[in-house]
Amino acid sequence: MLTGLSHLTLAVSSLERSLVFYQHYLGMQCHASWETGAYLSCGELWLCLSYDSQAGARSRDYTHYAFSIDEADFSNRVRQLKAAGVICWKDNHSEGQSFYFLDPDNHQLELHVGSLASRLEACREKPYQQMVFYPEVRAANDDNLGPFHHKIITITGRVRMFVAVATSSYWSADIPVCRHELC
């Protein structure tokens, strides 16, 4: 079972320049560095900077890495980044304060004030096109008996059985579900 995001590894074309950026401008702590890399931390998340001579190509998709920031620190940090000349790659049009910017190797980053709960609350008030909200699901047990296993889960107060057989999944309840092979 996944328990969270462990770390991010970003390819960088200049380790020295990236260390300055992530430590000085984003306030991350460096724990170790070597000729071709470094480990930094941002709260519970750790970040690996890894030298790659091919790093730096500008992405044109929406993939980005968002870092949480306290509301009280947001404006000052954004001012500091703008004063350093970072490039803004997107304007914020969603819930919460966000600043979208590029790092020295064109990784698309975001500073965001808010949480999943605050985003969902805002979406319930003004949903995206064809947005569907799902009931909260909590596992009552997590026994894994190999490729054939089961979980008893609670769906809004009712107990249902979730069965996974090899790579196919199904529910005993008639609600929208994920049918991806790895669910």
Side-chain angles (χ1 to χ4, degrees), residues 9-27:
T9 297
L10 300 178
V12 299
S13 59
S14 168
L15 184 60
E16 183 178 331
R17 179 182 65 187
S18 293
L19 275 171
V20 168
F21 181 82
Y22 282 93
Q23 287 181 281
H24 180 73
Y25 294 109
L26 297 183

Side-chain angles (χ1 to χ4, degrees), residues 107-159:
H107 294 109
Q108 297 177 158
L109 306 177
E110 174 188 358
L111 295 181
H112 180 71
V113 175
S115 63
L116 175 59
S118 63
R119 175 64 52 90
L120 290 173
E121 181 180 327
C123 287
R124 282 187 175 89
E125 291 176 19
K126 187 177 178 186
Y128 305 143
Q129 185 176 354
Q130 298 182 356
M131 189 170 207
V132 176
F133 294 93
Y134 299 94
E136 184 178 335
V137 177
R138 294 180 304 274
N141 74 7
D142 195 21
D143 299 331
N144 186 340
L145 304 174
F148 300 94
H149 62 281
H150 71 281
K151 294 177 189 254
I152 305 295
I153 57 173
T154 303
I155 304 175
T156 59
R158 297 182 311 239
V159 175

Side-chain angles (χ1 to χ4, degrees), residues 45-60:
L45 177 72
W46 53 284
L47 178 73
C48 175
L49 302 176
S50 183
Y51 173 76
D52 183 335
S53 63
Q54 303 299 310
R58 175 78 162 90
S59 176
R60 297 290 176 206

Side-chain angles (χ1 to χ4, degrees), residues 166-180:
T167 59
S168 62
S169 300
Y170 65 91
W171 291 81
S172 65
D174 186 23
I175 59 174
V177 295
C178 177
R179 296 207 182 272
H180 296 287

